[in-house]
Amino acid sequence: MAARLELAIFSFLTLAAAPSIVAADGQWATLSQGRTCEAAAKSVGATIKDRPPARASLAFDAGGPRHGQLAVRLSRLPRPGATVMLTIGDQPFLLMSQGDMAWSRGPKQEQAIIAAIRSNSGMRVEARSPGGGRIVDRYSLDGAPLAIDAAAACSVTLVNR
């Protein structure tokens, strides 16, 4: 429940003001908004008309609870109750999900995800569609380590303001 509330608050903040770009490298950028900094990327696949593109981010809050929390917006709405899997290299991670959003399950998983990102070149997020087909969103990890480090550093500077 707390994760859903956090997600709702984050979504509201996203609508409140546009984030500023702190750094960018490869396919990833570091964004700062309010008391949150995030490393973010769009999927490398085609976008679906009238749908926002699939997006992955790792959020760091200034003095707050998120220190690398992964959030993913899927390219399509999955089947209700569908499992959402993140795979980095050959390492799978089961994500929590609600609607077209999925996120990491806690600090230990987040540390493992960040470590896997640092040593691989790509990741994918998979789920089942309402019709039973596969939803697969792919991401390049080119630039992800720099964006993650910049987001972590950005959140520390916000604490000191």
Side-chain angles (χ1 to χ4, degrees), residues 14-59:
T14 302
L15 297 174
S20 61
I21 298 172
V22 174
D25 185 35
Q27 300 295 313
W28 287 72
T30 302
L31 308 171
S32 176
Q33 183 172 17
R35 306 274 302 158
T36 299
C37 298
E38 65 178 357
K42 292 181 184 176
S43 69
V44 294
T47 59
I48 297 172
K49 186 178 178 181
D50 299 326
R51 281 268 317 146
R55 180 181 191 276
S57 66
L58 293 141

Side-chain angles (χ1 to χ4, degrees), residues 40-57 71-77 100-101 125 135-139:
K42 292 181 184 176
S43 69
V44 294
T47 59
I48 297 172
K49 186 178 178 181
D50 299 326
R51 281 268 317 146
R55 180 181 191 276
S57 66
V72 178
R73 180 179 56 226
L74 297 163
S75 60
R76 295 182 298 170
L77 190 64
D100 66 350
M101 294 294 299
V125 179
I135 299 168
V136 181
D137 298 324
R138 297 181 187 283
Y139 296 85

Side-chain angles (χ1 to χ4, degrees), residues 69-134:
Q69 180 186 43
L70 174 81
V72 178
R73 180 179 56 226
L74 297 163
S75 60
R76 295 182 298 170
L77 190 64
R79 176 173 57 204
T83 298
V84 178
M85 292 295 296
L86 166 69
T87 305
I88 305 171
D90 62 357
Q91 190 170 4
F93 299 93
L94 178 63
L95 302 177
M96 298 185 300
S97 65
Q98 180 178 3
D100 66 350
M101 294 294 299
W103 56 96
S104 51
R105 295 179 166 270
K108 287 185 181 181
Q109 187 186 53
E110 290 153 10
Q111 290 172 358
I113 288 169
I114 290 170
I117 285 172
R118 291 183 185 285
S119 62
N120 287 281
S121 61
M123 70 180 195
R124 69 183 184 277
V125 179
E126 297 180 71
R128 288 283 176 197
S129 71
R134 288 180 53 200

